[in-house]
Amino acid sequence: MRDRLDARISGELCDAARFFGLPVLYDPAGEVAVAELLAQQYPDVNFILPHLGSFGDDWAAQLALIDHLVRHANIYTDSSGVRRFDLLQQAVRRAGPHKVLFGSDDPWLHPGLELHKIELLGLPSLDASLIMGGNFLRLAGLA
């Protein structure tokens, strides 16, 4: 995983992901506008932008990422660290359960609490199973 605060995402990284057919996990740390560039420049690479785009509770960034999830087939997110439950609900409702992956952010967050958020969504079992592992298996080419 790359984090904007450690190093911004690079073309070399995206090219390597394309070559190996792997998804890229990149934390934009609130700068979710990068999703637009990534989706357009690398339409054949899948990007997972965790925390709905902001671990720091930047709800405006998280709302903007939901729009990117809806518009771009290759942009995904995870559920870790999303403290506004209504935004997690909105992401699943608007973009679909196939665009959200379970995330725990362990050891920083408790995996049980993060799992409980997914359970509280009250999704049909097939939708929940996508979030709980099916989406990752598909993106990693293991499904």
Side-chain angles (χ1 to χ4, degrees):
M1 178 177 106
R2 297 290 298 247
D3 182 316
R4 169 182 77 77
L5 302 176
D6 294 328
R8 294 192 185 278
I9 196 162
S10 68
E12 292 83 4
L13 178 73
C14 295
D15 290 338
R18 174 187 286 151
F19 179 80
F20 290 107
L22 295 173
V24 174
L25 178 63
Y26 176 68
D27 185 348
E31 290 186 3
V32 299
V34 71
E36 191 75 30
L37 297 172
L38 295 173
Q40 291 178 357
Q41 290 181 352
Y42 298 94
D44 53 343
V45 175
N46 292 312
F47 296 92
I48 304 164
L49 306 181
H51 321 301
L52 263 183
S54 174
F55 189 78
D57 289 334
D58 182 347
W59 60 268
Q62 291 175 330
L63 279 172
L65 188 69
I66 293 170
D67 289 338
H68 290 295
L69 293 172
V70 171
R71 285 196 323 269
H72 303 293
N74 61 335
I75 301 294
Y76 297 83
T77 194
D78 84 353
S79 60
S80 69
V82 179
R83 288 176 226 165
R84 285 207 36 199
F85 187 71
D86 62 315
L87 293 179
L88 184 58
Q89 288 175 309
Q90 187 179 147
V92 172
R93 186 182 75 249
R94 289 186 55 213
H98 66 286
K99 299 296 291 268
V100 178
L101 289 79
F102 168 76
S104 68
D105 218 48
D106 187 42
W108 308 113
L109 302 175
H110 193 286
L113 176 62
E114 296 302 311
L115 175 61
H116 192 59
K117 288 191 310 194
I118 303 305
E119 294 168 349
L120 287 173
L121 289 170
L123 299 171
S125 61
L126 287 176
D127 290 347
S129 68
L130 287 175
I131 293 172
M132 293 306 302
N135 291 333
F136 174 77
L137 292 173
R138 185 185 73 249
L139 292 174
L142 302 172

